[in-house]
Amino acid sequence: MMQELSPTLQALREEAELLRLAFLDRQGYPRVVPVWFVLIDGAYYIGIGTTSAKWKAMQRDARVGWVIDGGTRGHYQGVSLRGHAEEVRDTAWRARVYEALGKKYFGAADDAEFINIFGQVDDPEAVYVRLIPDATLTWEH
């Protein structure tokens, strides 16, 4: 059962720039890397390259974990989730994630730097992934 997030934690995940993604590498060790992400209808989405270690790992084993956290001494907060990664294959949903990432990080999906990183909306070397949680842990202190 998914835990309902407090208004403070909902705001944190809406405003956070980075999500720390954990996956299992080729040797079976956990790796944690920061990635850009967007929330669409309450779900977490990331965009990565098809040749990236992250994507290769998720194809071998879809189990992932992720954390969004922050704060200052005496005011730490965060949400830690675990679940699995699922490729967004639907063209319309891919476009929706692409547009959301472009808007969040560059102001618009037609920004030259964004296109340099992610390519065009239908770039075959970009993969968009939905992170589907099955357990949540939160903290605020």
Side-chain angles (χ1 to χ4, degrees):
M1 187 162 132
M2 291 303 299
Q3 180 178 341
E4 188 65 34
L5 298 182
S6 72
T8 312
L9 288 176
Q10 286 181 27
L12 172 71
R13 80 179 189 159
E14 291 285 338
E15 297 162 12
E17 296 231 353
L18 295 174
L19 172 153
R20 296 176 222 301
L21 176 71
F23 57 91
L24 297 174
D25 72 11
R26 272 187 165 318
Q27 290 78 37
Y29 287 95
R31 295 237 0 238
V32 180
V33 296
V35 294
W36 289 342
F37 76 102
V38 289
L39 280 169
I40 302 174
D41 299 337
Y44 299 86
Y45 293 88
I46 62 171
I48 54 179
T50 56
T51 60
S52 69
K54 296 179 283 292
W55 178 236
K56 289 177 181 175
M58 287 183 251
Q59 288 178 295
R60 282 191 306 273
D61 188 335
R63 293 177 300 167
V64 292
W66 62 102
V67 171
I68 299 170
D69 63 335
T72 56
R73 186 177 303 189
H75 301 286
Y76 296 119
Q77 57 185 3
V79 56
S80 176
L81 304 103
R82 74 161 196 229
H84 68 278
E86 177 181 273
E87 181 180 1
V88 176
R89 295 179 189 268
D90 179 78
T91 305
W93 265 101
R94 279 179 56 96
R96 195 167 173 195
V97 175
Y98 177 89
E99 292 286 330
L101 283 164
K103 184 176 180 189
K104 179 175 180 178
Y105 292 98
F106 294 91
D110 62 359
D111 179 90
E113 191 175 349
F114 177 69
I115 292 169
N116 186 47
I117 294 168
F118 282 91
Q120 296 295 333
V121 65
D122 55 358
D123 192 312
E125 293 182 18
V127 62
Y128 299 94
V129 179
R130 180 176 181 192
L131 304 176
I132 302 169
D134 63 22
T136 306
L137 172 71
T138 65
W139 61 93
E140 294 183 76
H141 47 79

